[in-house]
């Protein structure tokens, strides 16, 4: 036990000015102001700076330029310690409580290794960058969906018919200088068809039209509002359906079914309307009915996989030549 404090004391030798007192290094008292500390540092720095040192100063400790260089480093360390109010406060506490070795060690290196840039600014920049990438990525997916729908004959014919009824494709041909090429006319008609598809078709799920408040930045800013809204809704749910025992409405039934299926709101919205009607007809908001439906779906999936030729080939390959199989070849 007597040997344990020795290495702990060795920690403080590498902190601040080591075994020297920073105030004594600069030749000031502990009550010195920042101006006095700065003035003392400038005087000593001019005296011991390697570029300005010319021979051994009066009253020096000997050693020439090497000693002056070490002295200058010690002076700089003392000034760095005392010029900052927080660092000076930690150093004064170490002088008054030298026995708290590990506390001094922690405070010293936590300040030296702390990031110079405000972490809040870094996080804000990262969130903004992610939000911008997220928004443009959604727009790209949405445009891909529109381009695909414009190439499907079913939707393209309907959009073309609507455009003709609205008189968008029946414009008279320009003459003279305003006359356009066939390529320009074709591009304009393509844009008209895509605009009609955008307005007439309700795209849900991952390819839906992006909304500004769905990106990460706005989600973080609106998080308190969403939390308050959820708490109010949850209290209303408990009061209406647990305490008063009211019957579930259509929205409440679909919400319970979605929770049982572990689907997000966007995933559930992408389902067809007839599928949701089937859920309601089978009363899947009741746990027992949902468990029966889940088992039926699993059995149906197994049958489809058993009848699928690709799945049969895969099972046959796994049985005969699957990975990890070792065999001996008879000569």
């Amino acid at each position: 036990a007597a040997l344990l404090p020795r290495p702990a004391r060795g920690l403080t030798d590498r902190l601040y000015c080591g075994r020297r007192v920073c105030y004594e290094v600069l030749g000031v008292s502990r009550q010195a102001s920042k101006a006095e500390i700065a003035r003392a540092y400038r005087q000593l720095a001019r005296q011991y700076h390697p570029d300005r040192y010319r021979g051994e100063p009066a009253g020096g400790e000997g050693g020439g330029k090497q000693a002056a260089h070490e002295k200058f480093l010690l002076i700089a360390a003392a000034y760095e310690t005392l010029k900052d109010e927080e660092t000076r406060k930690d150093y004064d506490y170490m002088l008054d409580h030298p026995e708290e070795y590990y506390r001094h060690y922690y405070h010293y290196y936590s300040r030296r290794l702390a990031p110079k840039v405000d972490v809040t600014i870094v996080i804000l920049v990262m969130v903004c960058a992610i939000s911008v990438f997220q928004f443009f990525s959604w727009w790209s997916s949405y445009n891909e969906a529109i381009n695909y729908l414009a190439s499907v004959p079913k939707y393209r014919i309907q959009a073309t018919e609507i455009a003709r009824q609205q008189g968008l494709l029946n414009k008279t041909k320009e003459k003279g200088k305003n006359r356009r090429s066939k390529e320009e006319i074709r591009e304009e008609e393509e844009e008209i068809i895509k605009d009609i598809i955008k307005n007439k078709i309700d795209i849900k799920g991952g390819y839906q039209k992006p909304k500004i408040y769905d990106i990460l930045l706005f989600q973080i800013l609106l998080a308190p509002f969403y939390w308050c809204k959820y708490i109010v809704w949850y209290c209303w749910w408990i009061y209406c359906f647990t305490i008063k025992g009211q019957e579930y409405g259509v929205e409440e039934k679909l919400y319970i079914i979605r929770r049982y299926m572990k689907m997000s709101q966007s995933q559930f919205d992408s389902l067809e309307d007839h599928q949701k009607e089937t859920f309601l007809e089978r009363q899947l908001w009741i746990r027992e009915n949902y468990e029966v439906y889940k088992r039926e779906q699993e059995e149906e999936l197994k049958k489809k996989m058993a009848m699928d030729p690709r799945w049969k080939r895969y099972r046959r390959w796994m049985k005969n030549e699957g990975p990890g199989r070792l065999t001996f070849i008879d000569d």
Side-chain angles (χ1 to χ4, degrees), residues 51-291:
D51 295 338
R52 304 175 66 108
Y53 181 74
R54 296 293 182 272
E56 184 69 16
E61 297 178 356
K65 286 191 175 183
Q66 182 62 29
H69 178 68
E70 295 177 358
K71 179 73 173 179
F72 176 77
L73 294 179
L74 184 61
I75 293 169
Y79 178 66
E80 290 293 327
T81 301
L82 301 180
K83 73 175 184 178
D84 183 70
E85 291 292 336
E86 297 297 327
T87 307
R88 184 177 179 180
K89 188 183 299 183
D90 291 341
Y91 182 69
D92 290 341
Y93 186 86
M94 188 185 78
L95 295 178
D96 297 333
H97 304 83
E99 70 281 356
E100 300 182 14
Y101 318 108
Y102 297 105
R103 183 183 186 277
H104 307 322
Y105 189 82
Y106 167 75
H107 280 283
Y108 176 79
Y109 281 103
S110 63
R111 293 191 184 280
R112 288 178 65 88
L113 300 178
K116 303 301 181 182
V117 182
D118 190 359
V119 179
T120 306
I121 298 177
V122 176
I123 294 175
L124 181 60
V125 171
M126 290 181 60
V127 169
C128 292
I130 293 173
S131 301
V132 171
F133 174 78
Q134 186 181 31
F135 185 74
F136 283 103
S137 176
W138 283 352
W139 263 112
S140 177
S141 300
Y142 176 69
N143 290 328
E144 288 180 4
I146 296 299
N147 293 333
Y148 170 74
L149 293 175
S151 64
V152 176
K154 173 183 175 181
Y155 301 113
R156 188 176 184 85
I157 292 172
Q158 293 179 4
T160 304
E161 185 64 27
I162 293 173
R164 286 200 179 97
Q165 292 175 0
Q166 295 178 356
L168 300 176
L169 299 180
N170 299 328
K171 295 181 179 180
T172 58
K173 297 182 179 180
E174 297 86 350
K175 297 181 180 180
K177 295 182 179 180
N178 297 327
R179 186 177 181 181
R180 295 174 299 169
S181 63
K182 294 182 179 180
E183 186 67 25
E184 292 176 346
I185 297 174
R186 191 179 300 109
E187 291 178 359
E188 183 181 359
E189 292 178 353
E190 190 70 20
E191 291 297 327
I192 292 173
I193 292 174
K194 290 181 180 179
D195 290 338
I196 293 175
I197 291 176
K198 290 179 182 178
N199 297 327
K200 295 298 182 180
I201 294 183
D202 183 19
I203 302 177
K204 297 181 180 180
Y207 292 95
Q208 64 183 359
K209 188 175 182 179
K211 300 176 182 177
I212 191 67
Y213 54 81
D214 286 338
I215 64 176
L216 179 62
L217 179 60
F218 282 86
Q219 289 292 311
I220 294 175
L221 295 177
L222 297 175
F225 169 74
Y226 289 143
W227 274 107
C228 295
K229 184 178 179 181
Y230 175 76
I231 292 173
V232 172
W233 173 84
Y234 187 75
C235 295
W236 169 82
W237 183 282
I238 296 296
Y239 174 75
C240 292
F241 303 114
T242 304
I243 298 177
K244 296 184 66 175
Q246 296 180 3
E247 293 185 0
Y248 296 125
V250 176
E251 294 296 328
E252 288 76 21
K253 292 176 182 178
L254 291 175
Y255 170 76
I256 296 174
I257 294 171
R258 179 172 68 83
R259 292 294 300 271
Y260 286 162
M261 293 182 172
K262 298 179 180 180
M263 300 175 66
S264 64
Q265 186 66 50
S266 60
Q267 290 174 329
F268 194 77
D269 291 340
S270 62
L271 297 177
E272 298 292 339
D273 292 337
H274 67 85
Q275 291 179 289
K276 298 178 182 178
E277 293 175 0
T278 304
F279 297 159
L280 295 174
E281 291 175 359
R282 300 196 57 173
Q283 299 182 352
L284 297 187
W285 66 88
I286 301 175
R287 188 72 185 187
E288 292 76 11
N289 296 343
Y290 174 73
E291 294 296 336

Side-chain angles (χ1 to χ4, degrees), residues 12-65:
T12 58
D13 294 342
R14 298 190 295 270
L15 307 182
Y16 305 109
C17 299
R19 294 182 180 273
R20 299 288 300 275
V21 179
C22 293
Y23 293 102
E24 295 177 357
V25 172
L26 296 179
V28 296
S29 63
R30 289 187 62 174
Q31 291 74 32
S33 63
K34 294 181 68 174
E36 294 174 344
I37 292 173
R39 185 165 52 253
Y41 167 72
R42 285 195 296 269
Q43 292 175 356
L44 294 171
R46 283 195 297 267
Q47 183 178 357
Y48 289 98
H49 195 280
D51 295 338
R52 304 175 66 108
Y53 181 74
R54 296 293 182 272
E56 184 69 16
E61 297 178 356
K65 286 191 175 183

